[in-house]
């Protein structure tokens, strides 16, 4: 499916530092792409039979209203040459089956980066149910800014988004169009691609062909095709894959990377080791250090007691002292880092620059470090080297293991941020490396401990102290971010908001946050809040209710995203969580002499492979204790694991609303 | 003397606290210079960095401009390190990038760019100095909120050149000009509080414009034969509106045309798509050709702009269209007619004859009812305005995703329960109120040794619509838009009730809230007419809301008599 290829173009990484004077004009680019060697500039596919499209549309017009559309034909053909320039032709015909489809297909959008490629709409037409055809006037194409690229267009300075309104489209119409892309400056000296056969709607035909130069060896693989729907054919140098009558794949939130569940083709002319070597050759020329860097490294490691502290000192320097920039230098940023001496001098850079300086400084301190390509929102395959990367970090060989360090995160206590677990990494070495994955860490490494110690006074006022404690990982980072980016004068407001959510109408008497400077990553995070609330008990007729202050902590603030991920009754594809995590809560409350515990909620424990929780209460004459614990043990849950964990999550939602019932002593 | 010393010391401490935030503007100057074909705005500033966060937040200068009419040149930019070394910003550190808003209205900003100046050697204690000129070609408007999130000691604004041709408007400030046409201000720091009104309600605003906006009938081409012929096909306005909605695609990438003219309605009809303005004008034209008594007004949402905001010269705010048919006014948002038979927020603007139009629409309202049974309950929601639109919004999703969406809502908004059944009524019929009803299976009771607690479900749905009032004392007023919420809890039972919450009511500013009993129904309500609440009123409202939200209202306590407790 073309969208994937499109996004790959945008994600396509960079070749060399080639800061040019500006984005070429469309006319200049057209001149270049039309004269690329050994490529058919008007590449296309044999025409589709209109009557066949219409007869399909007639057959499927009814009964598919729950989908926005049905894909009648999704086909693509790509030809590339020995310079890995390519011409891509994609043709798409969809039957609109509901109003949702009308809004989805009223406009055709086409995005590309003029610095590397050019895109054109070959034709767009609307087939009406009565057989008439409306050709859409291509002169109505408008250019606009791409969505969601604000300050993120580091590498795509020449990005263009063309939009064409298809005019009025109705349910029952077939929208049929073709587009062509020309890639004249590929990111790396190899060709790779992905093709998605299935979709979230039914697909009648999906086919992809690749014209491969004679001298090239193509590595390819179709994944998630257990039913064997995809047929492969090779005629001469033309490789073709085709699948028919594909059922829709579930379109579920919190989905893992598509390669984990979608039927797709991966193809590449390089293997991972070759890719790793190419990346090494690309990055290594920028790694030469100078005296100033050497001196800084000496200063940083001086007095550090052990090697790990030296590594952390160098890492924290790169993460915090060297500023991360949201824009690149020059019009056409490459994937190669700028010389580390320049980054060191400027004290800023983007991910690749910061990673390279970190690697260089670690090497200077005597460690074995490398540049690494990665992505935090996608995955790849160990057998076929398809470039899915959009980020650069550093790797360190440490005690026989790979340790990963992301210098773009200035507030991560652990050099591998919490969101970087289980992600694909390609370490750039001289000999070449296979694809690896970052380790998925223990829930406790993303842990949070919360406690409340308090007392109810005779007048019903509650007074006590809430403490949050985290040492590295998910919660640690979130608290640091919350304090770091707030002006000192706004931090109290933030603390009051936390209290307001836990203790409606509660007052913050005082609070302390340590470390004093949130960016001090050598110390764990501790937020201590002294609170009070008048008339805290619930008046329930003859009884009183005490709602534990920390009752909602398991699903509070930092944990909300974990709980909202369990909305669906069942899943057909795995659930991807941000990370593993563990939250431990303790509440201890003293009662005044006139009150006693009447009844406490029953204890409850739940234990599965992916979720553990405990709600434990104990009551005494003078007060009571509540202890809760929630552990999300896995980052990715299979549908079966999801179903099991969901029953636990539901219980937590119920249990956390419980109150401790009190009564007047002697009643 | 000692006391004065103490006060001074405290004052200095306070200053130190303020200046210990991100940074501080040491010098700031804006020169507005009239030119032959428009005007220039020259901005010069010196900023000192005070914290690591300040380094990240203030380390880049970003100037957004509209390429079609504007350009920006950096005249000078450098970093002065704490040791006094001056590091100039190099050419490669000035980057002109795409400004991509992250909404699907991005196309509107097709020619909006952002100039990013990345300062080198930024560290705590460093001073960043910059001066740039922002060129505006006529007709243009420059609007700037003069306050910042960091303190500014002194801001000087001067006007030069063809001043007579420029319309200068000040908001929330009455500065005095000196003999050289300059004013000096010390704008207050932006407080950055939640639910604050837009900054231009509170902080000093300068607006410079070299034209005046007026829709004017001369800028609206008359309908031609095609529109007249189309109009003959309809007998009722609703038919015409529905037909146009179905046959003319509203695009978001063509804004109200920059010369503030409507496209020819025939042309829009012919090509099958148009901007929100053009589609609104087509609806108007067709209705007019049908002989209906209609007006089209172009305007804005007054609660989002203060009364004295100089909108007449700010084309960017003219993005709401109101249509009068007979005695009724309807809002056309983005050309979509999902509200025409409903209501919306208030509207101010001008009709095509240049007459001022002010319309007070009915407030948005939501009525939610729950009818519970043991282990499951039914929830019904219907409303007008935004609530109606929210329910109709299901129509934009493929039906296969409706259940998924609702399940998500049940979980994230209501926190508990499984969706068992759901039904959406009238979402494609604009003449009837849309309605959402669904049944949720959940466990509403917590069992104790001899008591059971029954929880009123879905209170978070209701509370989710209430304003969020953190406990800190506000310095800024708070904007409350009109809304009316009613939440009916229908519980029937014969079990011995130990506790049911007592009715109450409260009124603060334009807000009325409370709970009434209607038989055995509990009726919670919250009504706002739309206003700005003073910080004092906010404090009072918070107290009332805290009581309103107290958990005892959402626990009903019964004795353990399951066999006789029956819901209807």
């Amino acid at each position: 499916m073309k969208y994937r290829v499109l996004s790959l173009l945008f994600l396509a990484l960079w070749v060399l530092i080639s800061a040019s004077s500006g984005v070429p004009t469309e006319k200049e680019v057209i001149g270049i792409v039309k004269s690329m060697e050994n490529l058919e500039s008007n590449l296309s596919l044999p025409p589709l039979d209109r009557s066949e499209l219409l007869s399909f549309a007639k057959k499927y017009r009814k009964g598919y209203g729950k989908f926005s559309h049905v894909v009648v034909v999704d086909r693509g053909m790509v030809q590339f040459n020995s310079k890995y320039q390519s011409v891509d032709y994609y043709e798409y015909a969809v039957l609109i089956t509901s109003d949702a489809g009308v809004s989805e297909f009223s406009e055709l959008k086409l995005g590309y980066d003029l610095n590397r490629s050019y895109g054109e709409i070959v034709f767009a037409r609307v087939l009406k149910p009565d057989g008439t055809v409306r050709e859409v006037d291509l002169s109505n194409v408008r250019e606009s800014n791409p969505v969601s690229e604000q300050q993120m267009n580091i590498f795509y300075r020449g990005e263009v988004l063309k939009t064409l309104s298809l005019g009025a489209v109705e349910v029952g119409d077939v929208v049929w169009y073709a587009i062509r892309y020309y890639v004249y400056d590929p990111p790396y000296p190899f060709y790779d691609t992905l093709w998605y056969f299935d979709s979230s709607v039914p697909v009648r035909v999906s086919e992809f062909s690749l014209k491969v130069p004679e001298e090239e060896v193509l590595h390819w693989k179709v994944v998630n095709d257990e039913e064997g729907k995809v047929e492969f054919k090779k005629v001469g140098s033309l490789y073709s894959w085709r699948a028919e009558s594909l059922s829709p794949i579930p379109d579920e939130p919190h989905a893992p990377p598509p390669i984990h569940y979608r039927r797709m083709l991966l193809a590449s002319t390089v293997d991972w080791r070759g890719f790793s070597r190419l990346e090494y050759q690309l990055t290594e020329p920028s790694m030469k250090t100078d005296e100033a860097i050497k001196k800084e490294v000496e200063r940083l490691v001086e007095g550090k007691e052990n090697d790990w502290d030296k590594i952390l000192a160098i890492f924290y320097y790169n993460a915090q002292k060297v500023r991360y920039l949201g824009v690149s230098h020059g019009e056409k940023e490459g994937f190669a880092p700028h010389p580390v001496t320049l980054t060191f001098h400027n004290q800023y850079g983007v991910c690749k620059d910061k990673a390279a300086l970190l690697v260089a400084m670690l090497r200077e301190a005597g460690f074995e470090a490398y540049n690494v390509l990665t992505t935090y929102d996608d995955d790849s395959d160990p057998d076929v080297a398809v470039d899915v990367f959009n980020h650069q970090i550093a790797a360190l060989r440490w005690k026989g293991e790979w340790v990963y360090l992301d210098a773009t995160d200035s507030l991560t206590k652990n050099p591998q941020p919490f969101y970087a677990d289980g992600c694909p990494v390609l370490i750039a070495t001289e000999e070449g490396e296979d694809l690896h994955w970052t380790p998925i860490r223990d829930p406790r490494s993303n842990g949070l401990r919360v406690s409340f110690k308090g007392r109810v006074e005779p007048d019903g006022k509650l007074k006590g102290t809430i403490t949050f404690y985290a040492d590295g990982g998910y919660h640690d980072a979130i608290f640091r971010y919350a304090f770091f980016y707030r002006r000192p004068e706004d931090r109290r407001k933030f603390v009051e908001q936390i209290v307001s959510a836990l203790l409606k109408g509660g007052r913050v008497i005082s609070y302390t946050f340590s470390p004093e400077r949130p960016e001090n990553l050598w110390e764990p995070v501790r937020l201590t809040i002294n609170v009070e609330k008048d008339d805290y008990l619930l008046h329930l007729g003859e009884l009183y209710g005490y709602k534990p202050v920390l009752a909602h902590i398991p699903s509070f603030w930092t944990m909300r995203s974990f709980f909202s991920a369990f909305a669906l009754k069942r899943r057909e594809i795995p659930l991807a969580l941000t990370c593993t995590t563990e939250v431990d809560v303790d509440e201890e409350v003293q009662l005044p002499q006139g009150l006693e515990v009447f009844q406490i909620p029953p204890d409850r424990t739940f234990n599965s492979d992916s979720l553990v929780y405990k709600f434990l209460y104990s009551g005494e004459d003078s007060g009571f204790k509540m202890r809760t614990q929630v552990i999300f043990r896995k980052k990715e849950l299979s549908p079966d694991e999801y179903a099991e964990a969901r029953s636990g999550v539901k219980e937590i939602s119920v249990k956390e609303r419980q109150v401790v019932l009190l009564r007047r002593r002697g009643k | 003397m000692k006391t004065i010393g103490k006060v001074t010391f405290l004052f200095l401490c306070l200053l130190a606290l303020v200046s210990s935030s991100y940074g501080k503007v040491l010098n700031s100057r804006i020169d507005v210079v009239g030119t032959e074909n428009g005007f220039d705005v020259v901005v010069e500033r010196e900023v000192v960095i005070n914290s690591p966060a300040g380094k990240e937040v203030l380390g880049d200068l970003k100037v957004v401009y509209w390429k079609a009419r504007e350009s920006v040149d950096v005249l000078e930019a450098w970093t002065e390190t704490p040791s006094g070394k001056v590091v100039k910003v190099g050419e490669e550190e000035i980057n002109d990038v795409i400004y991509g808003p992250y909404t699907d209205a991005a196309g509107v900003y097709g020619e909006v760019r952002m100039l990013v100046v990345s300062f080198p050697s930024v560290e705590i204690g460093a001073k960043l100095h910059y001066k740039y000129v922002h060129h505006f070609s006529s007709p243009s408007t420059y609007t700037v909120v003069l306050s910042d999130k960091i303190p500014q000691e002194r801001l000087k604004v001067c006007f030069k050149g063809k001043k007579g041709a420029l319309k200068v408007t000040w908001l929330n400030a009455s500065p005095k000009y000196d003999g050289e046409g300059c004013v000096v201000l010390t704008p207050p720091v932006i407080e950055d509080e939640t639910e604050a009104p837009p900054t231009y309600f509170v902080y000093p605003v300068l607006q410079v414009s070299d034209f005046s906006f007026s829709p004017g009938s001369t800028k609206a081409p008359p309908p031609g034969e095609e529109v007249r012929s189309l109009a003959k096909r309809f007998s009722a306005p609703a038919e015409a509106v529905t037909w146009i909605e179905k046959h003319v695609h509203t695009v978001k990438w063509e804004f109200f045309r920059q010369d503030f003219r409507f496209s020819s309605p025939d042309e829009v009809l012919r090509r099958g798509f148009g901007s929100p303005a053009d589609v609104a004008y087509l609806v108007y034209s067709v209705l007019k050709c049908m002989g209906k008594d209609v007006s089209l007004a172009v305007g804005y949402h007054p609660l989002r702009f203060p009364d004295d905001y100089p909108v007449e010269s700010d084309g960017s705010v003219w993005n709401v269209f109101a249509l009068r048919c007979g005695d009724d006014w309807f809002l056309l948002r983005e050309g979509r007619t999902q509200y025409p038979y409903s209501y919306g927020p208030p509207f101010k603007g001008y009709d095509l004859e240049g007459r001022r139009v002010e319309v007070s629409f009915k407030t948005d309202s939501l009525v939610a009812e729950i009818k519970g049974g043991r282990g499951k309950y039914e929830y019904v929601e219907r409303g007008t305005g935004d609530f109606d639109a929210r329910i109709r919004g299901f129509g934009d999703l493929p039906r296969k995703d409706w259940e998924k969406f609702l399940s998500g809502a049940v979980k994230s908004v209501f926190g508990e329960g499984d969706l068992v059944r759901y039904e959406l009524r009238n979402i494609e019929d604009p003449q009837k109120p849309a309605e959402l009803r669904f049944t949720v299976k959940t466990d509403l009771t917590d069992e104790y040794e001899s008591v059971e607690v029954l929880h009123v479900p879905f209170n978070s749905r209701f509370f989710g619509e209430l304003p969020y009032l953190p406990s800190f004392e506000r310095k800024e007023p708070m904007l409350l838009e009109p809304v009316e919420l009613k939440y009916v809890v229908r519980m029937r039972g014969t079990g011995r009730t130990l506790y049911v919450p007592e009715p109450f009511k409260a009124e603060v500013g334009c807000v009325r809230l409370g709970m009434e009993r209607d038989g055995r129904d509990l009726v919670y309500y919250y009504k706002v007419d739309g206003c700005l609440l003073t910080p004092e009123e906010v404090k009072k409202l918070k107290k009332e809301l805290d009581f309103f939200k107290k958990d005892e209202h959402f626990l009903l306590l019964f004795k353990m008599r399951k066999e006789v407790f029956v819901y209807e």
Side-chain angles (χ1 to χ4, degrees), chain A residues 485-618:
Chain A
Y485 283 106
R486 277 185 172 78
R487 300 177 297 188
E489 58 270 30
D490 290 334
R491 289 177 185 164
R492 187 183 173 94
K493 290 179 191 170
F494 171 69
V495 171
E496 288 176 344
Q497 284 175 24
I498 291 179
V499 170
S500 180
L502 293 174
L503 197 64
K504 289 185 195 100
R507 284 185 298 279
V508 175
I509 308 301
S510 61
Y511 81 93
T512 56
F513 181 84
S514 67
E516 196 179 338
R517 293 178 299 112
E519 67 276 15
N520 174 3
L521 300 173
W522 296 95
E523 291 178 29
V525 161
R526 189 190 303 272
L527 172 62
T528 306
I529 315 168
N530 292 312
V531 293
E532 67 175 25
K533 163 95 167 75
D534 295 334
D535 189 22
Y536 183 68
L537 299 180
L538 307 174
H539 300 267
L540 307 171
E542 297 162 7
L543 301 175
Y544 295 92
Y546 176 90
K547 183 157 192 173
V549 173
L550 305 181
H552 292 297
I553 284 290
S555 60
F556 171 70
W557 182 36
T558 56
M559 293 297 289
R560 202 167 294 147
S561 63
F562 287 83
F563 280 75
S564 61
F566 285 85
L568 298 182
K569 263 188 265 185
R570 70 191 81 80
R571 291 183 72 94
E572 291 175 54
I573 60 174
L575 168 74
L577 295 173
T578 312
C579 57
T580 62
T581 186
E582 174 175 332
V583 178
D584 294 278
V585 178
D586 278 295
E587 180 157 344
E588 197 175 328
V589 179
Q590 294 297 310
L591 296 174
Q593 279 195 341
L595 280 180
E596 63 182 359
V597 174
F598 172 53
Q599 279 168 28
I600 55 173
D603 289 346
R604 173 70 180 138
T605 59
F606 180 93
N607 203 328
S608 74
D609 285 349
S610 50
L611 175 72
V612 171
Y613 85 77
K614 291 174 188 160
F615 272 85
L616 306 173
Y617 290 86
S618 59

Side-chain angles (χ1 to χ4, degrees), chain B residues 9-27:
Chain B
F9 175 70
L10 285 173
F11 179 67
L12 288 174
C13 288
L14 192 66
L15 266 186
L17 178 74
V18 172
S19 63
S20 68
S21 63
Y22 293 165
K24 188 176 178 183
V25 181
L26 300 176
N27 290 299

Side-chain angles (χ1 to χ4, degrees), chain A residues 25-69:
Chain A
T25 64
E26 183 169 308
K27 198 176 166 190
E28 286 166 350
V29 171
I30 291 172
I32 296 168
V33 301
K34 298 284 179 180
S35 59
M36 293 189 297
E37 289 170 17
N38 300 323
L39 294 175
E40 299 165 44
S41 62
N42 286 321
L43 184 74
S44 63
L45 286 159
L48 290 171
D49 182 347
R50 287 185 189 194
S51 58
E52 197 187 329
L53 290 180
L54 282 166
S55 93
F56 176 84
K58 194 173 175 187
K59 191 173 163 191
Y60 287 89
R61 197 157 290 141
K62 288 181 182 166
Y64 285 84
K66 68 176 181 175
F67 298 103
S68 58
H69 65 285

Side-chain angles (χ1 to χ4, degrees), chain B residues 427-448:
Chain B
I427 63 165
E428 285 167 3
D429 185 349
Q431 300 191 66
K432 291 180 183 164
E435 190 173 295
L436 164 68
R437 53 174 69 223
F438 54 90
T439 305
V440 173
K441 190 177 169 192
T442 187
D443 185 1
L444 298 176
T445 57
D446 291 335
E447 295 181 1
Y448 295 72

Side-chain angles (χ1 to χ4, degrees), chain B residues 254-288:
Chain B
E254 272 195 349
F255 203 37
F256 201 12
R257 283 170 50 162
Q258 305 309 338
D259 54 0
F260 307 108
R261 287 177 187 278
F262 293 98
S263 296
S264 147
D266 291 75
E267 185 193 325
V268 173
L269 186 61
R270 210 174 305 131
R271 68 182 188 177
F273 69 92
S275 69
D278 290 341
V279 175
Y281 184 61
L282 173 63
V283 171
Y284 163 81
S285 302
V286 170
L287 296 182
K288 191 132 182 132

